[in-house]
Amino acid sequence: MSTTTTLITGIGSLVTNDPGQGAGPLGLLTDAAVVVDGGTVAWVGPAADAPAADERFDAGGRALLPGFVDSHAHLVFAGDRTAEFNARMSGQAYSAGGIRTTVAATRAASDAELEANLAGFVREAVRQGTTTIECKSGYGLTVEDEARALRIAAGYTPETTYLGAHVVAPEYAEDPAGYVELVTGEMLDACAPHARWVDVFCEKGAFDGDQARAVLTAGIEKGLTPRVHANQLTYGPGVQLAVELGAASADHCTHLTDEDVAALAGSATVATLLPGAEFSTRAEYPSGRRLLDAGAVVALSTDCNPGSSFTSSMAFCIAVAVREMGMTPDEAVWAATAGGARALRRSDVGTVAVGSRADLLLLDAPSHVHLAYRPGVPLTAAVWRAGVREV
């Protein structure tokens, strides 16, 4: 089957995330070109050396980089928590309990309503340069509602995560052990066929270390790979548990001991930082600098959800990470692209290299640094997903 090749030329600055291609960890190339063949990258190099192609796109001296890889998002839900956000911004403290408000609205919504919401959020993310997005369940907390959330999500991304252990379901408020039994039994059986990952909110007000271990171990036995909501609201066992069980990522990582940092640095578990959550809850930001200096792999993600981080903008997260978390623009861009790919254990996205998926973001700017330099400014000029231009 023949495919159309496209030459993207006139790229002022190209982030490849391949140090073998260009300068520094970002593998930066100037005056560059990329050839896309079908859904993959077929050639990368200086524009002067570019081969012929069926079609030509002139980037006009603008910056091209891999599409953002958002490795932590909660997009299957219904309802609105504006009042909660307004109250929090008026001085009330954030706690994990607000999730139950969304649970009630999500259970009451139809499949069509949930899918329409999800489709809208995915479109919104793509318009801002996100080309790969993970999606969790966790707002149904019944066997039927968790399974349908994952079925719906699987229509939009292969990166689906079973998060029945988001909080204890309201019906089990007096029997958390019974809910863990449900999550690790009947609910897992119904959800595992639609999921790649298993996750747990290991936190005061949600699940303790023993409960989290039970959830993750059961998921592993079903063939799911673990990831963990860890150490967001206080110090706890989440990071150590994630590393011990070989989780792909420990997410939030806001409150870390020196032992937690060392464990992450000495493992393949990615520390996924979610600056939107701290921004939206007025909480302490995690230190990206501390993790990077220790040698940990860091990813950035939106944590898009209706309660604590209602943003789908990876560019916003990059800007906040640079301003508030001690990361350089280069480090933040790497974390939002290649770092997210590492957190999803993907080698086909997050880079611009021969054989990678042609997921590309063209900025209306001469450099990737503008993502932090011009916060809040819509800089997306074009987006390709698997070689198809969608923006």
Side-chain angles (χ1 to χ4, degrees):
M1 180 179 176
S2 63
T3 58
T4 299
T5 57
T6 301
L7 169 64
I8 305 174
T9 190
I11 302 167
S13 174
L14 173 63
V15 173
T16 69
N17 285 335
D18 179 1
Q21 287 277 356
L26 294 185
L28 278 172
L29 289 172
T30 56
D31 298 320
V34 173
V35 174
V36 174
D37 187 352
T40 62
V41 173
W43 185 90
V44 180
D49 299 336
D54 299 320
E55 299 177 352
R56 179 186 178 96
F57 179 94
D58 187 353
R62 293 174 289 191
L64 187 75
L65 57 155
F68 297 131
V69 180
D70 190 348
S71 62
H72 185 126
H74 306 251
L75 304 180
V76 184
F77 67 87
D80 180 87
R81 283 160 69 181
T82 302
E84 176 189 323
F85 176 80
N86 192 40
R88 190 164 64 241
M89 293 300 105
S90 302
Q92 297 182 23
Y94 170 71
S95 71
I99 292 168
R100 295 182 180 90
T101 303
T102 301
V103 168
T106 302
R107 288 178 177 181
S110 68
D111 288 10
E113 289 170 329
L114 293 178
E115 183 170 0
N117 286 346
L118 170 61
F121 291 129
V122 170
R123 286 194 301 270
E124 181 180 278
V126 171
R127 286 197 301 269
Q128 299 173 90
T130 296
T131 51
T132 300
I133 195 162
E134 181 259 12
C135 187
K136 305 178 190 295
S137 67
Y139 289 125
L141 309 187
T142 68
V143 172
E144 178 182 352
D145 286 307
E146 287 295 291
R148 75 165 176 158
L150 289 165
R151 283 197 304 271
I152 292 168
Y156 292 82
T157 177
E159 305 300 343
T160 52
T161 300
Y162 169 49
L163 185 59
H166 202 179
V167 292
V168 174
E171 299 83 357
Y172 287 83
E174 304 304 319
D175 184 20
Y179 185 65
V180 171
E181 184 177 349
L182 178 68
V183 168
T184 58
E186 182 184 357
M187 187 184 289
L188 175 60
D189 290 341
C191 290
H194 311 290
R196 182 184 178 197
W197 309 97
V198 59
D199 199 347
V200 60
F201 191 10
C202 183
E203 190 65 66
K204 182 179 180 180
F207 298 90
D208 64 24
D210 290 339
Q211 293 168 328
R213 180 186 298 277
V215 169
L216 296 173
T217 301
I220 292 168
E221 291 173 353
K222 279 288 186 179
L224 305 181
T225 303
R227 38 196 340 108
V228 183
H229 282 63
N231 301 53
Q232 177 188 5
L233 304 179
T234 188
Y235 296 95
V239 164
Q240 296 291 337
L241 183 61
V243 171
E244 176 192 336
L245 296 181
S249 66
D251 299 23
H252 286 290
C253 294
T254 309
H255 297 88
L256 300 180
T257 64
D258 289 344
E259 291 75 19
D260 291 333
V261 174
L264 288 165
S267 74
T269 298
V270 174
T272 299
L273 307 183
L274 311 171
E278 282 75 38
F279 180 91
S280 298
T281 59
R282 284 184 174 159
E284 174 187 350
Y285 286 99
S287 174
R289 181 81 274 126
R290 181 185 181 200
L291 287 160
L292 289 164
D293 287 349
V297 176
V298 172
L300 289 175
S301 188
T302 64
D303 190 21
C304 185
N305 76 82
S308 60
S309 183
F310 203 10
T311 179
S312 58
S313 174
M314 289 288 279
F316 167 77
C317 292
I318 288 170
V320 175
V322 170
R323 174 63 180 84
E324 300 290 349
M325 291 160 49
M327 299 176 72
T328 69
D330 284 10
E331 289 167 340
V333 167
W334 191 95
T337 51
R342 292 272 192 98
L344 294 176
R345 295 189 172 167
R346 296 276 295 271
S347 60
D348 60 326
V349 297
T351 61
V352 182
V354 174
S356 66
R357 235 175 79 119
D359 288 354
L360 306 168
L361 165 60
L362 182 69
L363 298 181
D364 192 12
S367 167
H368 64 280
V369 176
H370 281 234
L371 291 164
Y373 181 41
R374 304 197 69 205
V377 178
L379 294 177
T380 303
V383 177
W384 292 262
R385 285 207 295 172
V388 177
R389 186 174 176 185
E390 299 195 8
V391 176

